[in-house]
Amino acid sequence: MATTALTGFSMMSLLSLGFLTWDLSPNQVENEPEHTFVDSSPVVQPPHIIFIMTDDQGFNDIGYHSSDIRTPALDKLAADGVKLENYYIQPICTPSRSQLITGRYQIHTGLQHSIIRPRQPNCLPFDQVTLPQRLQELGYSTHMVGKWHLGFYKKECLPTRRGFDTYFGSLTGSVNYYTYNSCDGPGRCGFDLHEGESVAWDQRGKYSTHLYTQRVRKILATHDPQSQPLFIYLSFQAVHTPLQSPREYIYPYRGLENVARRKYAAMVSAVDEAVHNITYALRKYGYYQNSVIIFSTDNGGQPLSGGSNWPLRGRKGTYWEGGVRGLGFVHSPLLRKKRRVSKALVHITDWYPTLVGLAGGNESLTEGVDGYNVWEAISDGKESPRLEILHNIDPLYNHASSGSLQKGYGIWNTAVQASIRAGDWKLLTGDPGYGDWIPPLMLPGFPGSWWNLERHTVQKSVWLFNISGDPNERFDLSEQRPDVVKELLARLVFYNRTAVPVRYPSEDLRADPHLNGGAWVPWVGDEEEDSWDTVYQKKNKDWTKKLKLSQSRSFFRRLNTRIMSNRI
């Protein structure tokens, strides 16, 4: 199937993108080779794959959706490719990344709850064969640049042990864009920038969006595109907090009165320029004609930090559309039907089998994954093979006080946080998170005291929406269509039977950077046995006494609540 899909494509002119006049100096590679590889031979090898992920970029935070943020490079790539307007991700960082890398739902990797914290002895399960490992088997040179956030307590967890030939980036979830300092509670701070399995102390002071772009351009400049297919996973930390960008990106948005939105827009513009320069390098060094560029966010935007998911409901950390419907597009000369908007249902787990298929792998390499090969839906405009998405089932998240097995018709306990989409229908149970519709931040003082004036989720535990006809989740049909509710509750039961236990261990004091040379690095020996017998028992009021390891525990718990709940 993959071979058939890649033959007979018409090639796009190298000049067709039409924005070659920008100054490349902010992201220029030091001592970049002068030579240029020429695409003179027919396409005889699998395509070069460039997967670009941004962090916390909201649905309304791109030029073709927004009126106040300008992204000419991203807009042009999307317009000449295929915009994915029915594309789903996860509401927070670690789950989206784990599903991309494994092709599996969180319930099948034990990462159903929250994110992997820097001090948790936890990471992507070792029994999972990752996407880059599969691509290595198929002859690819694999490289990762940017944010990992899939655990690092053992060296076995590191990107270079999970399928990447090279790695350059940060291991934790949030770092300073210049100093690369990362904190996990009061006084628990350390340096987090790594070259392979070593700490990259000498790179501090350089803005991460520029630094990561320079590294990608260097990889492209030093690799021969005719000798071996290339897979690059570029995982920007932008536009996650802290809100930091060089001054020259802020100036064009001086008319935005809201300071958070102004800084956030500047960071998006820096990413836009970075993607332009990477695309320019793909053309310069002879990759472009046989390349597939995929752009994706990792979760919804956070309005408290300048992001916007308007007109969708909710935000990052919630299972409303604003938390799980992502920005995404595919740009490639190999697309059969370009310059269109796709309504095909696509989920982040689908990239695993799709890219393995593009790389020439057969279906046996993706047995057991939850994703589908959606290349024909994207490239040819065919129907998506995906009909259903399990957004998640999180048994540890705060149970909704209004939920019960009785309210779930004796089928499902609606106190449990869960969400599923099947066809046109979407069901949510438990506490989905803050559920308001939040316009772009225009007022100078927002959110401030204005936040408390916003409407909060009605105290109930079951919602049903026809998401195709009501993408903004305005009309709850759970009472009008109990038949559909029962069917979807039964699907939750079906999936829950296949779930593995949640992996969410207590943090380990040995992870403190002060005990490890001032940096976040692996702290457990590979020979040491794992133990995940302790998790946060939120139902037990005495759990803090039993599990308290340090004074920062209360900070840790409050931080988790701020990210995931509606009590902000």
Side-chain angles (χ1 to χ4, degrees):
M1 181 180 297
T3 303
T4 302
L6 288 175
T7 57
F9 290 104
S10 60
M11 297 301 179
M12 184 179 294
S13 166
L14 295 182
L15 299 177
S16 63
L17 291 181
F19 45 84
L20 302 182
T21 59
W22 289 14
D23 179 15
L24 299 180
S25 57
N27 300 321
Q28 190 68 42
V29 180
E30 295 180 7
N31 301 318
E32 186 173 291
E34 292 297 327
H35 64 275
T36 299
F37 296 107
V38 179
D39 261 342
S40 58
S41 59
V43 176
V44 294
Q45 67 176 13
H48 306 290
I49 301 169
I50 314 298
F51 196 103
I52 301 171
M53 177 175 279
T54 55
D55 199 341
D56 288 8
Q57 186 176 2
F59 188 78
N60 191 42
D61 297 331
I62 196 167
Y64 61 82
H65 283 170
S66 171
S67 60
D68 61 346
I69 290 183
R70 296 181 286 278
T71 55
L74 293 172
D75 293 352
K76 181 65 174 175
L77 288 172
D80 290 340
V82 177
K83 297 177 184 176
L84 304 178
E85 293 295 287
N86 201 10
Y87 173 53
Y88 285 88
I89 48 181
Q90 292 305 113
I92 46 178
C93 308
T94 297
S96 283
R97 285 165 171 76
S98 71
Q99 294 193 9
L100 168 67
I101 294 295
T102 68
R104 310 204 73 188
Y105 290 140
Q106 296 152 262
I107 63 166
H108 296 145
T109 59
L111 300 175
Q112 301 96 307
H113 182 65
S114 192
I115 60 175
I116 296 178
R117 303 288 180 183
R119 288 179 287 159
Q120 282 183 304
N122 195 10
C123 72
L124 200 66
F126 299 123
D127 62 352
Q128 298 294 315
V129 180
T130 68
L131 172 60
Q133 286 172 333
R134 286 298 189 211
L135 293 177
Q136 281 181 332
E137 293 173 8
L138 295 168
Y140 273 73
S141 175
T142 60
H143 307 268
M144 181 179 174
V145 178
K147 174 177 171 177
W148 176 239
H149 207 186
L150 289 174
F152 59 93
Y153 76 105
K154 287 184 174 183
K155 285 187 177 181
E156 287 181 80
C157 302
L158 298 177
T160 48
R161 307 290 180 98
R162 305 311 301 269
F164 289 103
D165 296 325
T166 69
Y167 173 67
F168 180 65
S170 297
L171 299 173
T172 64
S174 176
V175 302
N176 184 287
Y177 282 73
Y178 292 96
T179 67
Y180 300 95
N181 200 44
S182 175
C183 297
D184 185 40
R188 299 290 191 274
C189 300
F191 184 77
D192 182 18
L193 184 63
H194 299 261
E195 176 79 68
E197 299 182 8
S198 302
V199 181
W201 296 102
D202 59 329
Q203 298 295 328
R204 70 171 75 207
K206 301 175 183 177
Y207 187 60
S208 77
T209 301
H210 291 168
L211 188 63
Y212 293 161
T213 305
Q214 290 170 4
R215 176 51 59 92
V216 171
R217 287 174 60 85
K218 184 175 181 180
I219 293 170
L220 295 173
T222 55
H223 181 84
D224 180 357
Q226 301 300 326
S227 66
Q228 185 182 21
L230 192 68
F231 173 59
I232 297 178
Y233 171 34
L234 171 57
S235 177
F236 285 115
Q237 77 171 91
V239 286
H240 196 291
T241 54
L243 300 180
Q244 297 173 312
S245 80
R247 188 180 301 272
E248 61 265 27
Y249 298 98
I250 298 177
Y251 183 76
Y253 295 103
R254 60 193 181 280
L256 290 179
E257 295 188 31
N258 185 275
V259 175
R261 185 66 173 170
R262 187 189 312 153
K263 293 180 178 180
Y264 182 94
M267 295 166 70
V268 174
S269 286
V271 168
D272 184 70
E273 181 187 76
V275 173
H276 160 76
N277 288 338
I278 290 168
T279 308
Y280 176 88
L282 288 172
R283 295 192 298 272
K284 177 179 179 181
Y285 298 116
Y287 296 86
Y288 178 75
Q289 295 282 15
N290 188 32
S291 69
V292 176
I293 302 170
I294 301 168
F295 180 86
S296 172
T297 51
D298 68 337
N299 48 246
Q302 174 55 278
L304 287 171
S305 304
S308 174
N309 305 301
W310 182 260
L312 302 179
R313 185 177 187 176
R315 65 187 184 204
K316 172 185 178 179
T318 76
Y319 287 95
W320 305 107
E321 291 292 283
V324 297
R325 180 170 287 202
L327 289 175
F329 64 79
V330 177
H331 178 95
S332 172
L334 307 180
L335 293 167
R336 290 186 183 272
K337 295 184 178 180
K338 309 179 184 70
R339 300 179 181 87
R340 65 184 182 86
V341 175
S342 172
K343 295 291 186 179
L345 187 62
V346 178
H347 185 250
I348 193 167
T349 56
D350 297 333
W351 296 122
Y352 187 113
T354 300
L355 299 184
V356 169
L358 279 175
N362 57 47
E363 293 183 359
S364 66
L365 296 180
T366 58
E367 287 182 0
V369 303
D370 296 305
Y372 293 83
N373 187 334
V374 293
W375 180 250
E376 290 187 350
I378 294 172
S379 177
D380 301 345
K382 295 183 178 181
E383 292 292 325
S384 172
R386 175 176 287 281
L387 302 175
E388 185 175 78
I389 294 173
L390 175 68
H391 291 303
N392 195 26
I393 299 172
D394 185 350
L396 292 189
Y397 190 70
N398 297 326
H399 282 197
S401 59
S402 56
S404 66
L405 183 62
Q406 180 181 6
K407 291 185 177 179
Y409 300 98
I411 301 172
W412 177 262
N413 183 356
T414 63
V416 176
Q417 186 191 64
S419 181
I420 188 172
R421 173 171 172 174
D424 295 329
W425 297 101
K426 177 182 177 182
L427 179 81
L428 304 99
T429 69
D431 179 2
Y434 187 92
D436 209 345
W437 298 267
I438 308 164
L441 311 184
M442 298 299 181
L443 300 175
F446 191 88
S449 59
W450 291 87
W451 192 258
N452 294 325
L453 299 178
E454 298 293 319
R455 301 176 300 281
H456 289 261
T457 302
V458 177
Q459 291 301 309
K460 56 180 299 182
S461 62
V462 180
W463 295 261
L464 178 71
F465 300 96
N466 182 326
I467 214 68
S468 296
D470 178 25
N472 302 330
E473 298 170 300
R474 296 276 182 175
F475 307 104
D476 177 15
L477 302 176
S478 59
E479 295 184 3
Q480 291 93 319
R481 296 299 303 271
D483 57 322
V484 177
V485 170
K486 292 176 183 178
E487 288 183 11
L488 295 185
L489 291 175
R491 292 302 292 164
L492 289 178
V493 172
F494 167 80
Y495 279 111
N496 199 45
R497 287 172 179 162
T498 69
V500 301
V502 179
R503 298 159 56 103
Y504 200 70
S506 299
E507 63 261 37
D508 189 336
L509 289 178
R510 296 176 295 171
D512 193 329
H514 297 121
L515 303 177
N516 296 286
W520 291 105
V521 294
W523 68 91
V524 174
D526 289 341
E527 69 285 350
E528 186 173 329
E529 292 187 7
D530 295 314
S531 175
W532 291 291
D533 57 349
T534 305
V535 295
Y536 295 111
Q537 302 293 337
K538 296 189 176 183
K539 287 185 177 181
N540 188 340
K541 295 182 179 179
D542 296 327
W543 70 272
T544 50
K545 296 179 181 179
K546 296 179 180 179
L547 300 181
K548 186 173 182 180
L549 298 176
S550 68
Q551 293 181 347
S552 64
R553 173 71 74 185
S554 60
F555 172 89
F556 182 85
R557 190 174 67 256
R558 289 197 305 273
L559 179 62
N560 187 51
T561 301
R562 284 203 303 271
I563 291 176
M564 292 298 295
S565 78
N566 61 3
R567 295 193 296 273
I568 294 185

